[in-house]
C-alpha cells in the first residue's frame, strides 16, 4: 500500500558476464555464466513471487544471454563442468591438480566454511598453489575425496531458494560426504534445469508487469571509447592514450543495434531502456541510443554533478543535502536527439553492494528502508515525485551475504511492501508517468566509477590492449575489403563477431593496476584469442604480437609481504618515510574483485615484525574518526597450526580522539565456538591524539583469559596509538608462535555495532612468523 505522495524507489540489478567461450577451440575457459545463473540470475526474479507489490528493473546483457542459450540449447560445457563430470578414477594427476586449484574459487566465509567436509578438503590443500605444491598435496586426496570436492563445488553455487524446495538437494547438504556418481549427476543436471528456466521466467514476469528488462550494448563495450578514445581526456586531460586513437562510432552503433535485435527476438518486444556498460556515457552516444528506439539510459550521480556543474552534497551519514538535484529525471540532448536519463544514488547503492553483507539481514533491511523514509519526509519534496535509483551489480555481492542474500532481500521487500511512504517502480513505468522537467544541455563524458574511463584506458596495459584491437581491426577489415568476392558471408560475420567480443569492457577491467581476478593470465589469453579468431575466420594468420601477453602480473598486486624487520615508533603518525619501510602492505583498491567499491574507509593495512613484536598499521579515511557514530576497528588474528584466535577491538572517538581497547577475546576456531571466552582487559591508560599536529599517545592493555573456560590459552598484550593512523604492537612472546608458523589476520570497521568494511573483504591475509635469520635470507641471491 502506498500513500498519496510516495517516494518512488527504482532498483536496477545489473546482470552481466563477458564472453568466456574461446571461438578457436569452442571451450568455455571459465564457468561463471553457469555458476551465477544457478546462484543469482533466476532466483532474483523468482523471489518476487512472494512479494507481488514489488517492482524492479533487471538489466540483462546480451553476451550473458547468448552464452546461457549455448548451455541450454547446444549442451555447452565449461572447463569446470568437464572436470566435474568424470569419475575421479578416470582423471589424470594433472586434472586432479587443476581441481585442487580451481574448485575452491568460492567465498570462504559463506560458501566453504559452513560445510565441514568442504572446509576439511580446503584445509587439506593448505598453502599449495604452485603446480609443484599441488602435485605433492594431491596424493592426500583419494578418489572419494575428489568426488566429494566435485560435488561440493557445484552444490554450493545453487541458490538457497532452490534448495528450499528440493528435498534431494537438502539431503545432499545433510549427507556432506561420501557422495556417489548419481549424486553428482543430480547436481549437474540441476544446474541445467535452472538455466533452462532463466529466459522463460524473465519473459513471464515482464509480461505481467512486475519487472522491466533493460539491456546493454551487445558485448558490454565502453561505448564512448568506441566512438573516440580521446573522450577519456574530458575527465582526465592528462591521461596517457593509446598509440593511435580508436574512432569507430559505427561499431558502437552496431553493438546497440544487435542488442536491440537480440532482445526483441527473445522477449517479443524491443527494450525501452539501456544501462550503458559501466554507466559510461557521453554526448556522442545519445543519437545512437535514440536511433534504435531506446527511451532511457542511466549513469552515476558523479556524472550528473559534472554535467550540471554542482556537487552532490551529503552529511556525515550519507544523506543528500540537495536532494532535489539527484532524485529527478532529466532529458539529455545531442544533435536533435534526446533521451530520458536518471542517475543512481551512489551511497545507497554501495550500502547494498559493499556494506550490508556484514550486517544482520533484518537490521540491514531496516536501515535501508529507514534511510529511504527519511528522504520521503524531506521538507523540500513537497508534491514532487522524487525517484531514488538504486543501481548496482545484481550478482557478485550476494556471496558475501548470509544465504546468498535471501534473508536480506526477503526482509527488504517485506518492509518496502508495507511502507506507506515508499513505492517501488520500474524505470520505464516511472518515466512514462513522470516525464523529465529538466534538461541537461551537455552530458559529461564519464562512467559510474570516478566519473571517468581510467579503469579501461590510460594504463600501459590498457593502452596496449586498445592498440592490439586497433591494429587487428584494421588488418581484418582491409583483408575483407580486398577479398570480399572470395569470402563467404558467414566468414565475414564470424570475423566481425570476434572483433565485437574483443571490444567488450571486461578485458580492460583486469588489465592495469585497478583490479585483479587471480586469473588475469586467462582473461589476457582469452582476449588475444578473440582477436586471433577474427583473423582466422577470414583466412588470415594472426599477427605475431598476439602471442605476447599484455598482462605482466605474476603475483597479486594488492599484497606485498614483509621483506625486513621494522621497529616503528608508535605515536599514531608516519614519523618518517622509512618507519614502515620493509613491512607488508595490503591495498584494498587493488584487491581481486569483479565489483568496484566506492571510496574505502580503511585505505591501507601494513603489517610486519621485529624479533620481539608483531606490528600492524591501519590507515583510515579521516571521516572514520570525525563521525559522531560509535566507531570501532577490530584486528583479528588466527593461528592455523595452533587452532587459536585472538580479537582486539579499538574504539575511536571524535574530537579529543580517544582510542581504547574496549573488548578482546581469545578463542579456539569456529568448530569450538561455544567455548569462546570473554577476556578481561587491564588498561594502563587510554590513547589520546588531538588535532592540530599534537603527538598521539600510546597505551598498553593486557588481555587475560577466563581461566574457568579456557585455561590453556595465552594472554594477549597490545600497545596502541591513534593519531592520523592506527598503530598496534603485540609482543611475540605472548603468542604460541614458532618460526615458520602461518598467522592469518584481517581488520574490520564497525559503525554503530555493524560491520561496514573488512580488509581483506573475502579471506584473511597470511603472514609467516620469521626466524632469527629472516633478514639474512631476504638478502640471499
Amino acid at each position: 500500500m502506498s500513500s498519496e505522495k510516495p517516494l518512488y524507489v527504482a532498483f536496477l540489478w545489473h546482470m552481466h558476464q563477458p564472453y568466456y567461450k574461446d571461438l578457436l577451440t569452442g571451450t568455455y575457459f571459465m564457468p561463471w555464466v553457469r555458476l551465477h545463473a544457478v546462484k543469482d540470475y533466476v532466483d532474483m526474479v523468482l523471489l518476487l513471487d512472494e512479494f507481488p507489490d514489488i517492482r524492479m528493473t533487471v538489466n540483462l546483457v546480451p553476451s550473458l544471454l547468448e552464452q546461457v542459450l549455448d548451455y541450454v540449447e547446444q549442451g555447452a560445457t565449461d572447463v569446470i563442468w568437464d572436470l566435474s563430470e568424470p569419475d575421479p578414477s578416470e582423471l589424470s594427476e594433472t586434472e586432479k591438480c587443476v581441481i585442487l586449484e580451481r574448485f575452491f574459487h568460492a567465498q570462504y566465509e559463506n560458501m566453504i566454511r559452513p560445510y565441514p567436509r568442504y572446509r576439511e578438503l580446503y584445509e587439506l590443500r593448505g598453502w599449495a598453489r604452485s603446480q609443484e605444491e599441488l602435485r605433492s598435496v594431491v596424493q592426500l586426496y583419494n578418489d572419494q575425496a575428489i568426488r566429494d570436492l566435485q560435488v561440493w563445488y557445484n552444490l554450493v553455487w545453487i541458490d538457497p531458494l532452490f534448495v528450499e524446495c528440493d528435498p534431494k538437494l537438502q539431503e545432499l547438504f545433510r549427507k556432506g560426504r561420501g557422495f556417489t556418481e548419481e549424486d553428482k549427476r543430480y547436481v549437474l543436471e540441476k544446474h541445467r534445469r535452472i538455466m533452462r528456466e532463466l529466459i522463460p521466467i524473465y519473459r513471464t514476469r515482464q509480461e505481467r508487469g512486475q519487472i522491466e528488462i533493460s539491456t546493454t550494448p551487445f558485448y558490454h563495450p565502453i561505448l564512448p571509447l568506441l566512438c573516440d578514445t580521446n573522450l577519456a581526456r574530458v575527465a582526465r586531460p592528462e591521461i596517457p592514450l593509446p598509440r593511435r586513437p580508436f574512432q569507430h562510432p559505427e561499431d558502437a552503433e552496431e553493438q546497440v543495434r544487435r542488442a536491440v535485435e537480440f532482445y526483441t527476438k527473445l522477449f517479443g518486444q524491443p527494450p525501452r531502456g539501456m544501462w550503458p556498460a559501466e554507466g559510461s556515457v557521453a554526448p556522442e552516444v545519445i543519437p545512437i541510443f535514440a536511433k534504435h528506439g531506446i527511451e532511457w539510459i542511466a549513469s552515476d550521480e558523479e556524472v550528473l554533478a559534472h554535467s550540471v556543474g554542482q556537487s552532490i552534497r551529503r552529511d556525515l551519514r550519507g544523506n543528500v543535502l540537495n536532494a532535489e538535484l539527484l532524485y529527478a529525471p532529466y532529458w539529455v540532448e545531442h544533435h536533435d536527439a534526446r533521451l530520458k536519463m536518471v542517475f543512481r544514488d551512489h551511497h545507497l547503492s554501495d550500502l547494498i553492494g559493499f556494506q550490508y553483507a556484514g550486517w544482520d539481514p533484518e537490521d540491514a533491511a531496516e536501515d535501508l528502508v529507514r534511510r529511504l523514509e527519511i528522504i520521503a519526509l524531506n521538507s523540500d519534496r513537497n508534491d514532487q515525485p522524487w525517484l531514488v535509483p538504486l543501481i548496482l551489480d545484481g550478482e557478485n555481492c550476494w556471496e558475501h551475504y548470509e544465504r546468498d542474500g535471501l534473508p536480506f532481500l526477503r526482509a527488504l521487500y517485506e518492509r518496502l511492501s508495507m511502507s506507506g511512504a515508499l513505492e517501488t517502480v520500474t524505470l520505464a513505468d516511472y518515466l512514462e508517468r513522470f516525464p523529465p522537467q529538466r534538461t541537461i544541455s551537455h552530458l559529461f563524458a564519464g562512467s559510474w566509477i570516478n566519473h571517468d574511463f581510467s579503469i579501461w584506458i590510460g594504463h600501459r596495459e590498457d593502452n596496449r590492449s586498445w592498440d592490439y584491437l586497433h591494429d587487428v581491426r584494421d588488418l581484418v577489415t582491409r583483408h575483407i575489403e580486398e577479398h570480399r568476392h572470395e569470402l563467404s558471408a558467414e566468414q565475414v560475420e564470424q570475423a566481425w563477431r570476434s572483433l565485437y567480443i574483443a571490444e567488450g569492457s571486461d578485458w580492460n577491467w583486469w588489465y592495469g593496476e585497478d583490479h585483479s581476478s587471480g586469473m588475469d593470465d586467462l582473461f589476457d589469453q582469452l582476449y588475444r584469442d578473440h582477436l586471433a579468431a577474427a583473423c582466422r575466420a577470414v583466412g588470415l594468420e594472426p599477427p605475431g604480437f598476439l602471442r605476447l601477453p599484455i598482462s605482466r602480473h605474476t603475483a597479486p598486486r594488492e599484497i606485498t609481504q614483509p621483506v625486513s624487520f621494522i621497529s616503528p615508533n608508535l605515536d599514531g603518525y608516519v614519523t618518517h618515510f622509512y618507519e614502515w619501510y620493509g613491512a607488508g602492505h595490503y591495498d584494498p583498491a587493488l584487491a581481486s574483485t569483479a565489483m568496484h567499491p566506492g571510496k574505502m574507509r580503511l585505505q591501507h593495512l601494513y603489517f610486519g615484525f621485529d624479533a620481539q613484536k608483531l606490528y600492524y598499521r591501519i590507515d583510515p579515511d579521516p571521516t572514520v574518526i570525525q563521525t559522531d557514530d560509535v566507531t570501532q576497528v577490530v584486528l583479528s588474528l588466527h593461528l592455523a597450526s595452533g587452532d587459536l584466535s585472538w580479537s582486539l577491538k579499538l574504539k575511536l572517538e571524535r574530537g579529543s580522539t580517544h582510542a581504547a581497547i574496549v573488548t578482546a577475546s581469545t578463542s579456539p576456531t569456529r568448530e569450538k565456538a561455544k567455548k569462546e571466552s570473554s577476556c578481561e582487559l587491564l588498561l594502563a591508560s587510554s590513547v589520546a591524539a588531538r588535532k592540530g599536529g599534537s603527538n598521539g599517545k600510546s597505551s598498553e592493555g593486557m588481555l587475560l583469559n577466563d581461566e574457568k573456560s579456557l585455561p590453556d590459552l595465552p594472554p594477549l598484550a597490545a600497545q596502541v596509538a591513534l593519531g592520523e593512523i592506527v598503530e598496534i604492537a603485540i609482543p611475540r612472546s605472548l603468542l604460541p608462535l614458532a618460526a615458520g608458523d602461518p598467522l592469518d589476520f584481517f581488520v574490520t570497521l564497525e559503525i554503530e555495532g555493524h560491520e561496514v568494511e573488512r580488509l581483506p573483504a573475502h579471506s584473511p591475509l597470511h603472514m609467516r612468523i620469521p626466524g632469527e635469520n629472516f633478514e639474512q635470507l631476504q638478502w640471499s641471491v
Side-chain angles (χ1 to χ4, degrees):
M1 182 178 69
S2 56
S3 66
E4 285 185 22
K5 303 173 183 178
L7 175 73
Y8 296 98
V9 180
F11 289 97
L12 187 152
W13 304 108
H14 175 55
M15 310 297 197
H16 163 60
Q17 294 294 331
Y19 200 79
Y20 292 116
K21 189 175 185 177
D22 186 337
L23 297 178
L24 293 175
T25 65
T27 300
Y28 277 90
F29 271 24
M30 301 179 197
W32 306 122
V33 167
R34 172 172 62 90
L35 296 183
H36 280 291
V38 301
K39 190 177 79 67
D40 300 306
Y41 302 144
V42 182
D43 62 282
M44 282 289 285
V45 173
L46 272 182
L47 183 59
L48 295 186
D49 291 353
E50 301 177 20
F51 304 96
D53 293 332
I54 296 297
R55 302 289 183 268
M56 67 187 192
T57 302
V58 184
N59 193 77
L60 296 176
V61 178
S63 61
L64 164 65
L65 295 176
E66 186 176 51
Q67 293 174 92
V68 168
L69 289 173
D70 198 15
Y71 277 93
V72 170
E73 297 178 352
Q74 307 301 323
T77 63
D78 51 68
V79 291
I80 298 302
W81 181 288
D82 294 340
L83 288 168
S84 299
E85 206 168 25
D87 187 295
S89 64
E90 301 170 2
L91 295 170
S92 68
E93 181 185 84
T94 299
E95 289 171 322
K96 290 179 180 178
C97 286
V98 176
I99 287 175
L100 293 191
E101 178 187 9
R102 299 191 63 180
F103 277 47
F104 298 110
H105 285 172
Q107 207 273 350
Y108 176 80
E109 285 296 322
N110 294 314
M111 298 175 72
I112 297 177
R113 185 192 62 76
Y115 308 109
R117 177 58 167 165
Y118 196 15
R119 184 173 69 248
E120 173 189 338
L121 296 170
Y122 173 80
E123 291 173 352
L124 186 62
R125 185 184 67 168
W127 290 69
R129 295 295 184 273
S130 70
Q131 290 303 306
E132 181 180 351
E133 291 169 335
L134 291 170
R135 280 195 297 271
S136 175
V137 80
V138 77
Q139 308 305 321
L140 303 175
Y141 292 76
N142 60 23
D143 285 349
Q144 183 61 63
I146 294 293
R147 184 180 297 109
D148 286 354
L149 182 51
Q150 290 172 316
V151 172
W152 267 116
Y153 186 57
N154 290 282
L155 185 60
V156 296
W157 281 89
I158 298 177
D159 189 84
L161 193 65
F162 299 114
V163 178
E164 288 180 354
C165 57
D166 190 319
K168 176 63 175 178
L169 290 177
Q170 296 170 23
E171 176 191 333
L172 292 177
F173 274 99
R174 287 192 299 267
K175 184 176 181 179
R177 63 177 64 234
F179 294 124
T180 65
E181 288 297 307
E182 181 182 353
D183 294 335
K184 185 169 60 178
R185 283 192 294 272
Y186 185 86
V187 172
L188 292 174
E189 180 52 35
K190 185 70 174 182
H191 281 219
R192 288 216 187 270
R193 289 202 299 271
I194 294 172
M195 294 185 78
R196 280 194 288 269
E197 296 175 5
L198 193 155
I199 292 174
I201 283 174
Y202 273 82
R203 185 190 299 119
T204 57
R205 273 60 178 182
Q206 176 160 262
E207 289 170 354
R208 74 186 188 198
Q210 195 166 9
I211 68 169
E212 174 189 1
I213 305 171
S214 59
T215 193
T216 293
F218 206 106
Y219 292 107
H220 205 263
I222 304 299
L223 219 60
L225 296 183
L226 291 190
C227 292
D228 187 354
T229 47
N230 290 318
L231 286 171
R233 285 190 167 163
V234 172
R236 297 285 181 262
E238 76 293 344
I239 195 170
L241 293 176
R243 180 169 42 87
R244 287 193 289 173
F246 192 94
Q247 296 169 323
H248 291 288
E250 68 275 22
D251 286 14
E253 181 172 340
E254 185 65 8
Q255 294 267 8
V256 173
R257 186 197 70 78
R258 290 185 178 222
V260 171
E261 180 180 78
F262 183 75
Y263 178 108
T264 305
K265 180 180 177 182
L266 285 183
F267 299 111
Q269 62 186 68
R272 300 180 68 181
M274 274 199 177
W275 168 250
E278 309 294 351
S280 297
V281 295
E284 289 78 359
V285 305
I286 295 172
I288 296 174
F289 286 124
K291 177 180 178 180
H292 293 280
I294 299 304
E295 300 174 17
W296 64 261
I297 60 174
S299 188
D300 186 70
E301 65 178 50
E302 291 188 14
V303 172
L304 170 65
H306 283 78
S307 296
V308 300
Q310 298 183 51
S311 62
I312 306 298
R313 296 181 288 108
R314 296 181 183 272
D315 62 22
L316 288 174
R317 295 190 61 81
N319 299 311
V320 179
L321 300 178
N322 49 345
E324 73 286 350
L325 181 67
L326 179 58
Y327 300 138
Y330 292 81
W331 288 109
V332 290
E333 299 178 338
H334 188 65
H335 292 171
D336 299 323
R338 71 174 188 167
L339 300 168
K340 300 168 185 174
M341 191 166 181
V342 300
F343 300 88
R344 76 175 190 136
D345 186 307
H346 189 116
H347 178 68
L348 293 183
S349 300
D350 278 3
L351 283 177
I352 301 173
F354 299 102
Q355 294 193 20
Y356 284 148
W359 290 38
D360 173 84
E362 296 284 341
D363 291 347
E366 182 66 29
D367 183 77
L368 181 57
V369 171
R370 179 179 57 80
R371 289 173 182 271
L372 291 169
E373 289 179 339
I374 289 173
I375 298 172
L377 294 173
N378 191 309
S379 60
D380 294 333
R381 190 161 72 95
N382 298 319
D383 292 327
Q384 299 174 69
W386 281 5
L387 174 75
V388 179
L390 301 177
I391 303 175
L392 66 152
D393 187 301
E395 56 200 358
N396 290 303
C397 67
W398 303 120
E399 59 208 56
H400 305 289
Y401 279 73
E402 176 187 333
R403 299 187 67 224
D404 205 44
L406 188 58
F408 166 73
L409 289 171
R410 278 180 168 148
L412 175 61
Y413 293 160
E414 180 178 5
R415 283 166 171 78
L416 289 170
S417 298
M418 298 297 292
S419 174
L422 309 173
E423 181 179 324
T424 58
V425 291
T426 68
L427 282 168
D429 285 349
Y430 171 85
L431 291 167
E432 185 174 337
R433 292 169 62 188
F434 307 108
Q437 302 299 308
R438 311 177 192 181
T439 298
I440 292 175
S441 59
H442 187 81
L443 182 62
F444 189 79
S447 77
W448 71 342
I449 301 177
N450 302 324
H451 65 272
D452 63 28
F453 302 120
S454 61
I455 297 290
W456 304 276
I457 195 169
H459 188 277
R460 60 183 179 278
E461 292 182 2
D462 294 325
N463 290 346
R464 188 178 297 120
S465 168
W466 282 103
D467 287 337
Y468 278 23
L469 175 64
H470 180 286
D471 292 350
V472 170
R473 188 189 186 283
D474 274 6
L475 178 67
V476 170
T477 54
R478 282 200 309 269
H479 184 80
I480 290 173
E481 180 61 27
E482 292 169 0
H483 298 83
R484 59 185 181 276
H485 300 301
E486 306 163 25
L487 298 170
S488 68
E490 182 180 357
Q491 285 178 291
V492 173
E493 165 58 23
Q494 188 55 59
W496 275 113
R497 180 168 175 248
S498 295
L499 288 172
Y500 295 143
I501 291 171
E503 289 176 348
S505 70
D506 299 271
W507 320 115
N508 283 27
W509 179 272
W510 300 116
Y511 289 135
E513 303 294 339
D514 308 291
H515 305 101
S516 177
S517 65
M519 295 181 285
D520 290 0
D521 55 338
L522 288 179
F523 277 101
D524 184 16
Q525 181 66 54
L526 191 52
Y527 171 68
R528 290 180 288 114
D529 282 354
H530 287 317
L531 291 175
C535 297
R536 294 192 186 279
V538 291
L540 276 172
E541 182 66 23
F545 62 78
L546 290 182
R547 292 193 291 270
L548 301 176
I550 295 172
S551 178
R552 301 296 184 184
H553 300 296
T554 58
R557 294 166 288 180
E558 71 272 18
I559 305 170
T560 57
Q561 289 293 330
V563 296
S564 65
F565 283 157
I566 60 172
S567 294
N569 176 29
L570 265 65
D571 58 2
Y573 296 90
V574 181
T575 309
H576 56 81
F577 174 78
Y578 291 101
E579 184 179 23
W580 286 86
Y581 186 81
H585 178 218
Y586 175 75
D587 184 348
L590 303 181
S592 304
T593 180
M595 301 172 65
H596 189 94
K599 185 177 181 180
M600 303 295 293
R601 298 182 185 182
L602 300 181
Q603 298 182 336
H604 294 277
L605 171 59
Y606 293 84
F607 53 97
F609 36 68
D610 58 21
Q612 288 79 38
K613 294 180 180 180
L614 303 178
Y615 297 102
Y616 297 92
R617 167 183 152 190
I618 304 159
D619 293 11
D621 183 85
T623 59
V624 171
I625 299 173
Q626 293 169 4
T627 179
D628 289 324
D629 297 328
V630 178
T631 304
Q632 298 180 136
V633 172
V634 185
L635 171 64
S636 299
L637 308 176
H638 172 61
L639 179 61
S641 60
D643 204 30
L644 302 177
S645 297
W646 297 268
S647 182
L648 184 67
K649 183 173 289 189
L650 311 175
K651 183 177 180 181
L652 313 182
E653 296 181 358
R654 190 180 184 184
S656 295
T657 309
H658 186 78
I661 308 172
V662 292
T663 64
S665 63
T666 306
S667 67
T669 52
R670 296 178 186 268
E671 291 84 346
K672 303 175 184 178
K674 293 182 180 180
K675 296 182 180 179
E676 283 193 5
S677 80
S678 298
C679 300
E680 299 177 0
L681 172 66
L682 302 181
L683 197 58
S685 63
S686 63
V687 182
R690 301 181 183 276
K691 295 181 180 179
S694 62
N695 292 329
K697 300 179 182 179
S698 67
S699 72
E700 294 184 357
M702 178 72 74
L703 313 185
L704 301 179
N705 303 319
D706 178 347
E707 296 183 358
K708 294 181 181 179
S709 59
L710 290 169
D712 59 327
L713 296 181
L716 176 62
Q719 183 182 3
V720 182
L722 170 68
E724 294 175 351
I725 61 176
V726 180
E727 295 179 300
I728 303 169
I730 301 172
R732 288 172 54 180
S733 61
L734 296 178
L735 301 178
L737 300 174
D741 280 349
L743 183 67
D744 298 345
F745 58 95
F746 60 89
V747 172
T748 54
L749 176 67
E750 297 181 357
I751 296 180
E752 298 291 345
H754 298 291
E755 178 183 312
V756 299
E757 202 164 285
R758 175 181 292 205
L759 300 184
H762 304 256
S763 57
L765 292 170
H766 310 287
M767 176 173 67
R768 286 197 179 273
I769 301 304
E772 294 181 359
N773 60 346
F774 171 77
E775 290 193 298
Q776 291 90 329
L777 290 174
Q778 296 302 308
W779 285 99
S780 298
V781 178

